[in-house]
Amino acid sequence: MDKSVEFTVPERCYIDGAWVDSTSGDRFESIDPATEETLASVPKLGAAETHRAIEAAEKAFVDWRARPATERARLLRRFGELMGEHKEGLAHLLTREQGKPLSEARGEVDYAQSFLLWFAEEGLRLYGDVIPSHRKDARLLVLKQPVGVCGLITPWNFPYAMITRKLGAALAAGCTAVVKPAEQTPLCGLALARLAEEAGLPRGTVNVVTGEAKAIGKALMESESVRKVSFTGSTETGKLLIAQSAATVKKLSLELGGHAPFIVCADADIDAAVEGAMASKFRNSGQTCVCANRFYIHESLYDVFAEKFAAAVASLKVGNGLDAETHIGPLIDTAAVEKSQRHVEDARNKGATILSGKEHASLGRHFFPPTLLGDATDSMQIMYEETFGPVAPLLRFREEEEVAKLANDTPYGLAAYFYGRDIGRVLRLAEALDYGIVSVNSGVFSSERAPFGGVKHSGYGREGARVGIEEYANIKYVLLGGIAT
Ligand code: ADP
């Protein structure tokens, strides 16, 4: 490994400002999904260590919430700057642990950093209100106060950004946190702990625990001290957390699964739509919760779109993400490969044609060829299950009302895309699509300054933007009476 791009991560967890092992001594391995080599091993923590992390966060909260917002902002900004200073090292670590191409990994480091810098600023603007009073002897104030200790549970597909999007907002609001990174990407989580420490964040404000998801999750959910949990992951786990939150009446933010429709209207710019389709479908090898999962193409341009899309898909190079030529890295594990395989086979059995999807030379068990399916139908699994892989099914449609109905016919509601120029239709569709995010004439939309989140089974709460910090604040109404002379 080239030393200049190496970022050393302590192979221990970070609790109360100290790097610690599990009490049992148990560990688990982080695997490079491209080569299946072991990168490192990290502690396998359980409930006992999680309780210690919660206690540390609780103690740290007393001081952290009392600090001036400007001081919290300064430390958060420093945390963000350090991400920039270590960008190459962080990007290489991300590619090795998660598999995404290096160019995308660099993009994720920037994106992750943007949340720390953004919330450093937003923390300075967590304004309350003074309400015109209905009484002569009283004044009415509204304060926004930190909710307390937060549990932040994150997935492996954006192992930096999903943490900073939560942690930046939590810290800026005056909360402290126990972060649980996904078991596939513990090193990225611990890398952020190292930077938090280097930035000078006080001990206990940020704790990172790796290990048994169920035990750690249960400890966080059962704790009265943890007042909020923010989770990004599967709808199944999200529903479990909702149930577990009842006993302590915990505040939740949930960003769950998606099944994004991608609609190309009759008057769309076809080349732009193909470019957007590529960006939406194949980023991170199709492993994002906002990846287009089904493509509805107006019948008048279906053939041209399919031909151009197939050519673009055929030009994608699959390989190790560290190779500068690679567009599509490995999938995270064999289960992910099997799911893509199952979706393609089911579609073929039900009459889909393969428009693009050449078998690659044997790269390893985790690689799957980007595949374009023509003549898909609603009965195919891929049309209602989230694929989380590089497979794109195309369908024809005729009427606007019909396509809006088809697009909304899913329990999910995270992101939807469409291409078209007619201003009336653009507005009608943007309003009709039952999703938290609608991207018009663009295959990418994520930004730290825009609200990210879904409706229906895709969860609730919003991250990023001005509203992101509000999720970590309680509103308190203070009536100041007895002040009339
Ligand atoms: P994915 O399919 O993306 O792996 P998961 O919902 O399984 O989705 O995982 C997302 C995050 O939730 C990971 O950090 C994982 O370890 C964690 N997780 C999984 N099961 C539980 C659970 N029962 N309680 C708390 N966290 C969990």
Side-chain angles (χ1 to χ4, degrees):
M1 178 93 191
D2 175 359
K3 284 282 167 207
S4 65
V5 294
E6 200 169 1
F7 184 87
T8 315
V9 182
E11 294 173 21
R12 280 175 290 166
C13 290
Y14 188 60
I15 297 179
D16 203 12
W19 293 93
V20 299
D21 285 311
S22 61
T23 14
S24 64
D26 289 352
R27 303 179 73 77
F28 67 101
E29 292 179 339
S30 163
I31 309 284
D32 178 336
T35 61
E36 296 188 56
E37 280 166 14
T38 298
L39 297 173
S41 77
V42 296
K44 191 173 187 180
L45 304 191
E49 297 95 335
T50 308
H51 287 305
R52 275 208 288 125
I54 295 169
E55 255 172 57
E58 205 179 1
K59 252 191 276 154
F61 179 59
V62 178
D63 166 65
W64 184 246
R65 73 177 302 179
R67 293 204 184 198
T70 44
E71 202 179 315
R72 288 198 296 261
R74 184 179 59 77
L75 290 168
L76 255 184
R77 206 175 301 121
R78 184 67 200 126
F79 187 4
E81 284 163 4
L82 282 171
M83 285 201 80
E85 287 167 25
H86 291 285
K87 180 169 168 178
E88 273 308 291
L90 291 170
H92 276 76
L93 174 66
L94 172 54
T95 293
R96 297 191 77 207
E97 190 172 49
Q98 195 269 335
K100 69 181 60 178
L102 206 43
S103 57
E104 288 189 32
R106 292 189 184 106
E108 180 178 341
V109 176
D110 288 344
Y111 183 49
Q113 180 199 37
S114 75
F115 288 109
L116 298 178
L117 301 179
W118 171 261
F119 285 115
E121 296 301 319
E122 287 303 291
L124 301 175
R125 302 188 185 99
L126 192 55
Y127 300 132
D129 286 315
V130 179
I131 301 172
S133 185
H134 57 303
R135 276 170 37 183
K136 207 173 172 186
D137 71 328
R139 300 293 180 271
L140 319 182
L141 312 181
V142 177
L143 311 182
K144 290 188 184 158
Q145 297 186 303
V147 296
V149 175
C150 298
L152 312 178
I153 304 176
T154 54
W156 50 263
N157 60 344
F158 290 89
Y160 294 137
M162 296 303 97
I163 291 179
T164 57
R165 188 157 78 177
K166 300 178 190 310
L167 187 58
L171 292 172
C175 300
T176 55
V178 178
V179 180
K180 200 214 76 70
E183 46 273 55
Q184 295 88 340
T185 52
L187 297 176
C188 288
L190 295 171
L192 291 179
R194 190 194 119 176
L195 295 182
E197 180 184 43
E198 223 169 294
L201 282 153
R203 61 185 271 198
T205 48
V206 177
N207 304 274
V208 178
V209 294
T210 61
E212 292 176 56
K214 275 195 186 130
I216 295 172
K218 192 158 174 279
L220 290 170
M221 296 310 292
E222 285 179 352
S223 166
E224 286 288 355
S225 310
V226 176
R227 292 318 312 153
K228 170 174 180 104
V229 165
S230 178
F231 169 79
T232 299
S234 62
T235 296
E236 191 189 349
T237 306
K239 288 179 181 175
L240 176 75
L241 299 182
I242 294 171
Q244 289 180 342
S245 73
T248 57
V249 194
K250 221 179 285 309
K251 204 171 154 86
L252 291 180
S253 297
L254 302 170
E255 200 263 274
L256 309 177
H259 201 279
F262 188 107
I263 301 166
V264 181
C265 299
D267 62 345
D269 174 334
I270 297 187
D271 292 327
V274 169
E275 197 185 320
M278 295 297 292
S280 163
K281 178 67 248 184
F282 295 108
R283 201 155 55 99
N284 206 5
S285 305
Q287 302 172 110
T288 88
C289 45
V290 296
C291 276
N293 218 106
R294 50 205 159 106
F295 292 78
Y296 298 101
I297 316 299
H298 191 266
E299 58 180 10
S300 63
L301 38 78
Y302 179 93
D303 291 337
V304 188
F305 180 85
E307 193 184 321
K308 291 190 173 199
F309 196 12
V313 173
S315 74
L316 291 173
K317 186 162 180 319
V318 182
N320 187 316
L322 291 176
D323 179 348
E325 314 259 275
T326 295
H327 302 111
I328 302 280
L331 299 190
I332 194 70
D333 53 24
T334 47
V337 172
E338 280 157 19
K339 190 166 194 190
S340 285
Q341 187 74 52
R342 178 162 63 75
H343 279 184
V344 171
E345 257 154 41
D346 170 76
R348 277 177 93 160
N349 291 339
K350 290 175 181 160
T353 49
I354 308 279
L355 300 177
S356 186
K358 56 178 183 301
E359 287 299 318
H360 46 71
S362 178
L363 288 162
R365 292 189 307 159
H366 294 164
F367 291 90
F368 193 83
T371 306
L372 183 58
L373 302 168
D375 303 310
T377 60
D378 286 340
S379 65
M380 296 172 182
Q381 285 171 7
I382 195 166
M383 295 303 293
Y384 51 86
E385 276 182 20
E386 190 177 21
T387 309
F388 238 65
V391 187
L394 300 189
L395 286 90
R396 294 177 177 76
F397 78 91
R398 190 174 298 169
E399 305 294 339
E400 177 187 328
E401 294 76 30
E402 169 206 3
V403 79
K405 224 166 131 204
L406 287 170
N408 287 340
D409 187 18
T410 166
Y412 296 111
L414 187 54
Y417 304 80
F418 71 87
Y419 276 71
R421 308 299 314 173
D422 178 85
I423 187 71
R425 189 186 305 123
V426 166
L427 275 172
R428 284 193 302 274
L429 266 181
E431 286 169 5
L433 290 169
D434 208 0
Y435 288 81
I437 301 160
V438 177
S439 185
V440 187
N441 296 322
S442 178
V444 291
F445 53 77
S446 293
S447 163
E448 76 283 5
R449 60 200 60 230
F452 191 106
V455 297
K456 294 158 65 182
H457 290 223
S458 292
Y460 44 75
R462 291 293 178 270
E463 296 193 273
R466 203 175 47 187
V467 293
I469 194 167
E470 309 266 349
E471 304 261 331
Y472 295 88
N474 284 329
I475 287 180
K476 181 183 281 176
Y477 162 43
V478 179
L479 182 139
L480 280 179
I483 58 175
T485 53

